[in-house]
């Protein structure tokens, strides 16, 4: 059954499960920090978990292909009831046979609270790297929990989901952050600023889209090995995948090494 209208869904995102080890892996991907740096990071992380409130939002739309010139010079995906045409071959291939398109946004927290903590903890370049690693991990976790909420709604509708895609990935235009930001009301609901739609977002703010498919598109189910959330996925953590089947998950070879 098609959804003709859908409200924006706000998703509270607890980050209590975020570990110090995960933050350190993000900040030092090729090395091991000294004990003093670990303790400094621990203090920052504990303060962020207390003071900052990660949040997510999503909204479901009905997509339609638009391929006729002169208005559309290349194939695109129009979201019914909006002025949005999602562009790029990657998005077209993902959404041309999708039942619905979900716009999703997530953030580590409000700029005011982030800036207040930064003024307390950030006094050097290393401090900034540690602080931004914490914020990025919190945002990724919030996006994973928001994606989990999308998956649960998709399952209730008898649908499966595909990979989350952010503007700037492949040929999905970076400037389409502006439309996702507008239609998810991220400014009001997430306190997420968007000062320049032509630039990449801060790593603690995430915007993107997810395709929902019906039973006729079962071959399009997402592969955990390719997913950006695979190492900290809230869906895998409860023993499920995006299309609702329970089971174990083997780590990709690159992760197992």
């Amino acid at each position: 059954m098609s959804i003709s209208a859908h409200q924006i869904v706000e998703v509270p995102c607890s980050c209590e499960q975020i570990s110090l080890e995960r933050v350190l892996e993000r900040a030092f991907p090729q090395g091991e920090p000294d004990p003093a740096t670990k303790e400094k990071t621990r203090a920052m992380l504990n303060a962020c978990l207390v003071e900052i409130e990660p949040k997510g939002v999503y909204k479901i739309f009905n997509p339609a292909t638009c391929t006729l010139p002169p208005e559309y010079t290349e194939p695109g995906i129009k979201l019914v009831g909006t002025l949005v045409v999602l562009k790029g071959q990657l998005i077209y291939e993902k959404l041309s046979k999708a039942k619905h398109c979900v716009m999703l946004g997530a953030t580590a927290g409000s700029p005011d609270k982030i800036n207040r903590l930064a003024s307390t903890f950030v006094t050097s370049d290393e401090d900034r790297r540690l602080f931004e690693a914490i914020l990025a991990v919190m945002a990724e976790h919030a996006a994973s929990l928001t994606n989990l909420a999308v998956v649960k709604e998709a399952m209730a509708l008898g649908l499966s989901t595909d990979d989350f895609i952010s503007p700037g990935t492949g040929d999905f235009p970076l400037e389409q952050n502006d439309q996702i930001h507008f239609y998810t009301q991220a400014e009001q609901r997430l306190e997420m600023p968007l000062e320049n739609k032509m630039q990449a977002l801060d790593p603690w703010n995430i915007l993107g889209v997810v395709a929902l498919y019906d039973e006729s598109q079962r071959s399009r189910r997402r592969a955990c090995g390719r997913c950006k959330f695979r190492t900290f996925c809230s869906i895998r953590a409860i023993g499920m995948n995006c299309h609702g089947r329970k089971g174990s998950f083997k780590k990709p070879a690159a992760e197992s090494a």
Side-chain angles (χ1 to χ4, degrees), residues 69 106 188 212:
Q188 302 94 320
L212 305 187

Side-chain angles (χ1 to χ4, degrees), residues 224-226 230-231 236 250-257:
C224 292
R226 298 195 312 269
R230 65 186 180 277
T231 60
R236 296 174 73 178
K250 294 182 180 178
K251 290 186 177 181
E255 294 180 40
S256 302

Side-chain angles (χ1 to χ4, degrees), residues 8-248:
I8 295 173
V9 178
E10 296 186 5
V11 182
C13 300
S14 170
C15 284
E16 294 177 356
Q17 296 178 344
I18 291 177
S19 66
L20 176 64
E21 289 70 24
R22 183 170 148 198
V23 172
L24 292 174
E25 287 175 2
R26 178 69 179 248
F28 301 95
Q30 297 179 334
E32 179 73 15
D34 58 62
T37 300
K38 286 184 178 181
E39 288 307 309
K40 179 166 59 175
T41 308
R42 189 192 307 276
M44 284 188 190
L45 175 60
N46 289 340
C48 287
L49 292 177
V50 170
E51 298 293 334
I52 300 178
E53 182 183 4
K55 291 183 283 187
V57 295
Y58 71 89
K59 185 174 182 179
I60 298 177
F61 298 87
N62 295 330
T65 57
C66 45
T67 59
L68 298 176
E71 185 174 0
Y72 305 115
T73 57
E74 62 182 27
I77 300 295
K78 180 171 177 57
L79 300 186
V80 178
T82 75
L83 299 177
V84 176
V85 177
L86 300 175
K87 300 177 181 178
Q89 182 177 351
L90 175 63
I91 285 296
Y92 188 81
E93 290 176 352
K94 290 286 186 182
L95 289 171
S96 59
K97 295 185 179 181
K99 187 76 170 179
H100 302 296
C101 172
V102 180
M103 286 186 173
L104 182 154
T107 184
S110 73
D112 287 346
K113 291 182 179 180
I114 288 173
N115 290 336
R116 192 179 310 127
L117 284 171
S119 67
T120 301
F121 288 102
V122 177
T123 59
S124 67
D125 289 342
E126 181 182 75
D127 291 345
R128 182 164 299 280
R129 177 170 67 161
L130 297 174
F131 188 66
E132 291 186 355
I134 291 169
L135 296 178
V137 168
M138 292 179 74
E140 289 170 350
H141 188 70
S144 176
L145 291 173
T146 306
N147 190 47
L148 174 59
V150 171
V151 170
K152 288 180 177 179
E153 180 158 356
M155 290 168 57
L157 295 169
L159 305 175
S160 58
T161 68
D162 202 353
D163 301 305
F164 174 83
I165 306 174
S166 297
T169 302
D171 62 350
F172 187 16
L174 188 62
E175 60 266 27
Q176 299 214 263
N177 270 324
D178 186 42
Q179 294 167 318
I180 302 173
H181 185 266
F182 177 80
Y183 282 100
T184 58
Q185 298 180 10
E187 182 78 36
Q188 302 94 320
R189 295 174 183 265
L190 301 180
E191 299 181 65
M192 182 190 295
L194 187 65
E195 297 176 357
N196 189 331
K197 67 180 182 180
M198 300 301 294
Q199 294 181 355
L201 298 173
D202 291 325
W204 51 90
N205 293 321
I206 295 173
L207 295 169
V209 299
V210 178
L212 305 187
Y213 300 107
D214 63 19
E215 291 296 310
S216 68
Q217 302 294 320
R218 294 180 74 87
S219 63
R220 291 176 173 269
R221 288 174 178 166
R222 56 193 301 193
C224 292
R226 298 195 312 269
C227 180
K228 67 179 291 183
F229 301 133
R230 65 186 180 277
T231 60
F232 50 87
C233 178
S234 301
I235 306 166
R236 296 174 73 178
I238 61 174
M240 300 180 71
N241 57 30
C242 287
H243 42 284
R245 292 183 179 176
K246 295 185 177 181
S248 61

